[in-house]
Amino acid sequence: MSDEMNPNAPQLVPKKSLGKAAKLLRLLFSVIDPRAYAHALKILNYYNYSHVTPLRRIKTLGHLGEGAAISPNATFANPERIEIGKRLKLGARCALWAGTGSGHIKIGDDVLFGPDVMVTAANYRFNDGHPVTEQAMDEADVVIGNDVWLGTRAIVLPGATIGDGAIIGAGALVKGDIPPMSIAVGVPVRIVGKRQVDT
Ligand SMILES: CC(C)(COP(=O)(O)OP(=O)(O)OC[C@H]1O[C@@H](n2cnc3c(N)ncnc32)[C@H](O)[C@@H]1OP(=O)(O)O)[C@@H](O)C(=O)NCCC(=O)NCCS
């Protein structure tokens, strides 16, 4: 079928730019629009329950303040089941989601998370005929050892363990056990090397 006859063919649409007056009006309406303020409150509320309050409830092993650098937009779920060692570096927009019932996240000392890393200790079940959101969670602990580096956008799934000194590549999907000092990359993760320590 030629493009002219195909109703789903991509259309060439000329880009319209807003004039100065229209931009000014848009700014004015934003400033007086009560919905914008209501939305700002929602964001405040979100950061309070996903970051500020949880930070006080995480099991910090008494060391969170010492050398820690936690991005202010990192989020935490079920912080009472999250344990953090010393000198954690948690990058922008990281998410640590422990389970609602039993799945813990345990993080050792000197762990570095790049931006956008996701760690979850819970899966939804999906086979009992109800919508996924109404089904039970299947939870398993995630354990991350000491001196581990997780690259940008790594995802760590329930039940994963990452041994001391391991390096996880950017964008990796971590399932199962990663041995200590491994360099692991890819989706799903595979071991591509061993971290060498120069003497
Ligand atoms: C994992 C990492 C540290 C490995 O570095 P390295 O030891 O120099 O590894 P190499 O570049 O020699 O790559 C080794 C192999 O793994 C592959 N590889 C490396 N990083 C990869 C990644 N993130 N995803 C998929 N494959 C990757 C390479 O293509 C290469 O494969 P090949 O042997 O088939 O050619 C690095 O690639 C990485 O992902 N760093 C994260 C960077 C980051 O997120 N920074 C900001 C956060 S602080």
Side-chain angles (χ1 to χ4, degrees):
M1 194 189 310
S2 71
D3 269 5
E4 294 91 69
M5 297 177 66
N6 177 4
N8 294 325
Q11 307 285 314
L12 194 62
V13 181
K15 186 174 183 295
K16 288 183 199 150
S17 302
L18 283 184
K20 270 192 182 160
K23 280 185 184 161
L24 197 66
L25 265 182
R26 184 175 63 183
L27 174 68
L28 212 64
F29 280 125
S30 306
V31 171
I32 59 169
D33 187 346
R35 290 170 303 181
Y37 295 95
H39 193 75
L41 277 178
K42 274 188 192 168
I43 292 174
L44 188 73
N45 179 40
Y46 172 73
Y47 273 108
N48 194 40
Y49 72 71
S50 66
H51 181 97
V52 180
T53 308
L55 265 186
R56 277 186 240 119
R57 291 167 57 206
I58 282 174
K59 287 191 190 150
T60 62
L61 314 175
H63 302 293
L64 188 60
E66 190 190 310
I70 296 185
S71 170
N73 55 11
T75 61
F76 308 91
N78 304 305
E80 57 282 8
R81 275 177 286 285
I82 300 177
E83 288 175 28
I84 288 177
K86 298 176 195 168
R87 298 174 293 274
L88 173 67
K89 306 283 186 278
L90 195 61
R93 298 173 302 279
C94 282
L96 302 182
W97 291 2
T100 52
S102 65
H104 288 74
I105 296 175
K106 296 178 185 164
I107 299 172
D109 294 338
D110 301 295
V111 175
L112 168 62
F113 286 74
D116 296 303
V117 175
M118 169 83 194
V119 179
T120 175
N123 275 317
Y124 279 99
R125 296 321 311 157
F126 40 79
N127 290 332
D128 76 4
H130 293 95
V132 167
T133 50
E134 290 172 17
Q135 298 198 26
M137 307 294 281
D138 199 3
E139 303 189 5
D141 293 354
V142 172
V143 181
I144 300 174
N146 299 319
D147 185 23
V148 169
W149 172 30
L150 295 110
T152 308
R153 298 207 166 162
I155 298 175
V156 183
L157 294 184
T161 65
I162 303 178
D164 290 349
I167 308 292
I168 307 298
L173 180 75
V174 182
K175 273 185 80 167
D177 298 330
I178 306 298
M181 302 298 275
S182 309
I183 300 172
V185 302
V187 179
V189 81
R190 69 185 206 286
I191 311 294
V192 290
K194 193 94 184 154
R195 182 172 166 190
Q196 306 292 335
V197 178
D198 300 329
T199 49

